[in-house]
Amino acid sequence: MNTPTSQVRELAERITEAHATIAVAESLTGGQLSSALAAAPDASDWFRGGLVAYAPEVKFDVLGVTPGPVVTAQCAEEMATGIERLLTARVGVGVTGVGGPDPEEGRPAGTVFAAVSTQGRVVVREWHFDGEPEEVLEQTIDAIIRLVQAELSQPHAAADTPGERS
């Protein structure tokens, strides 16, 4: 994985400045997003943890995702809110998609849905990346890091008090 170290460091700084905590629920990325976050400076202060929910049943049973197709915006949103609740984080991230090389659930390889849940506000993005499965994963992680950075820059992401979760 070639996630730029500077991007992860910048995200770590933003999370720390916001007195936030983050948790991730991953399907497509298979733990690589968690690994990138865990390697960041002072991760033990703000990274609550991650769950690799690769099998649909894990999404349904552990995260509370509505049973049905899992390569959807709804699934990503429910993964984000589920992990935010499960690990009592201020920011929850959910990611699902098709790495390839073959399509899944009628979606072409490179289709990605990601969601960021921050204190009741959820943003969901759909991306379509090109390349081999490894390249799709790298592009996905890069895009998610940028999305979380953008969300932490929003006024609603500011903490009431350090360590408090609304």
Side-chain angles (χ1 to χ4, degrees):
M1 182 177 70
N2 294 324
T3 300
T5 304
S6 62
Q7 259 197 316
V8 176
R9 283 192 181 140
E10 183 181 329
L11 177 59
E13 289 172 12
R14 286 194 183 181
I15 293 170
T16 301
E17 288 168 4
H19 302 290
T21 55
I22 188 169
V24 299
E26 305 180 66
S27 181
L28 169 67
T29 51
Q32 291 185 32
L33 179 58
S34 292
S35 292
L37 295 177
D42 301 315
S44 62
D45 294 338
W46 50 265
F47 181 46
R48 298 285 294 160
L51 172 69
V52 177
Y54 211 74
E57 297 78 19
V58 176
K59 294 173 185 72
F60 307 150
D61 298 341
V62 178
L63 294 171
V65 171
T66 304
V70 295
V71 184
T72 66
Q74 178 181 337
C75 180
E77 179 176 342
E78 292 176 350
M79 289 173 71
T81 58
I83 199 68
E84 180 184 23
R85 180 186 64 253
L86 186 66
L87 297 186
T88 60
R90 255 204 41 242
V91 178
V93 177
V95 59
T96 186
V98 183
D102 299 319
E104 281 183 46
E105 296 182 357
R107 306 255 187 201
T111 302
V112 177
F113 293 95
V116 177
S117 176
T118 309
Q119 299 180 312
R121 173 186 151 87
V122 181
V123 295
V124 180
R125 295 289 185 268
E126 178 178 356
W127 296 299
H128 298 275
F129 298 123
D130 293 322
E132 296 298 315
E134 298 81 15
E135 295 168 309
V136 170
L137 296 182
E138 288 178 13
Q139 293 172 77
T140 298
I141 292 166
D142 178 65
I144 290 170
I145 289 169
R146 284 186 279 115
L147 178 60
V148 173
Q149 287 173 334
E151 281 304 297
L152 287 172
S153 298
Q154 300 299 314
H156 67 270
D160 298 326
T161 58
E164 184 174 303
R165 183 177 188 271
S166 298

